[in-house]
Amino acid sequence: IAGITQAPTSQILAAGRRMTLRCTQDMRHNAMYWYRQDLGLGLRLIHYSNTAGTTGKGEVPDGYSVSRANTDDFPLTLASAVPSQTSVYFCASSEGQGAGDTQYFGPGTRLTVL
Amino acid sequence: SQQGEEDPQALSIQEGENATMNCSYKTSINNLQWYRQNSGRGLVHLILIRSNEREKHSGRLRVTLDTSKKSSSLLITASRAADTASYFCATAMDSWGKLQFGAGTQVVVTP
């Protein structure tokens, strides 16, 4: 089934630990995005990639890094997790880079940092 | 700060009634999109309206856009229990598809 998969589904992590959230899409979309969703704040963009090999910073990039080695995968890494990074993380993709492109979302990863 | 803000924050209606929610935004936009999120799931795209459009329909959904007031509304007609979800507006200000989402309207439709 075409779409976006994220792993893990949920994770409890000790503060200071390193964690990589995985995201894979099989739609051959050019653009990919990482958002975090916090209660009352909607979704906020962390990082994005317009095409394989390029990445950019979103609204809340501090404490996170991404890479885009190929079209399908867009992992998000927390180098040293802090409790304020407790959130639900969504990966999304779109066929093009344009403002009119629909974004397709993965099921999310619920991360708790203690 | 958020570009889009939905109103109301929560809405409770009975099946068969119409549900209306609004989105206000602060700066000029290229387009505005509405997404739905069922509890514990990812967002699903519903409809996109461009800045030069005033109204758009998709099934039981009707979206309006008033760029002079910087606002949009989403109307769900003849609501069903399956419409229970959170609804988010998202605006795109530039050509790179970076959407800014509002905090959402939580809609509960009771049978």
Side-chain angles (χ1 to χ4, degrees), chain B residues 17-54:
Chain B
E17 294 181 339
N18 295 341
T20 300
M21 60 210 84
N22 304 295
C23 171
S24 59
Y25 56 92
K26 299 173 184 173
T27 61
S28 297
I29 60 171
N30 178 286
N31 68 72
L32 185 145
Q33 304 181 34
W34 285 92
Y35 286 79
R36 183 187 74 225
Q37 183 181 34
N38 291 91
S39 182
R41 309 290 290 274
L43 278 72
V44 174
H45 181 262
L46 294 176
I47 197 165
L48 178 152
I49 186 164
R50 301 188 187 283
S51 59
N52 61 353
E53 297 176 312
R54 293 296 168 258

Side-chain angles (χ1 to χ4, degrees), chain B residues 50-103:
Chain B
R50 301 188 187 283
S51 59
N52 61 353
E53 297 176 312
R54 293 296 168 258
E55 186 171 314
K56 208 161 180 181
H57 296 257
S58 177
R60 293 184 294 113
L61 304 180
R62 172 179 169 252
V63 170
T64 62
L65 180 64
D66 187 335
T67 53
S68 67
K69 295 182 179 178
K70 291 186 171 60
S71 69
S72 172
S73 68
L74 171 66
L75 168 67
I76 305 173
T77 61
S79 63
R80 305 167 182 170
D83 295 327
T84 294
S86 292
Y87 293 82
F88 295 87
C89 69
T91 52
M93 291 181 289
D94 60 36
S95 61
W96 296 105
K98 299 185 200 70
L99 294 178
Q100 288 200 332
F101 288 82

Side-chain angles (χ1 to χ4, degrees), chain A residues 52-91:
Chain A
T54 69
T55 62
K57 294 181 180 180
E59 183 184 357
V60 288
D62 294 342
Y64 305 95
S65 64
V66 292
S67 62
R68 187 87 184 276
N70 57 60
T71 298
D72 298 344
D73 301 300
F74 191 44
L76 176 74
T77 298
L78 289 67
S80 179
V82 295
S84 61
Q85 292 177 311
T86 292
S87 187
V88 181
Y89 291 85
F90 289 98
C91 180

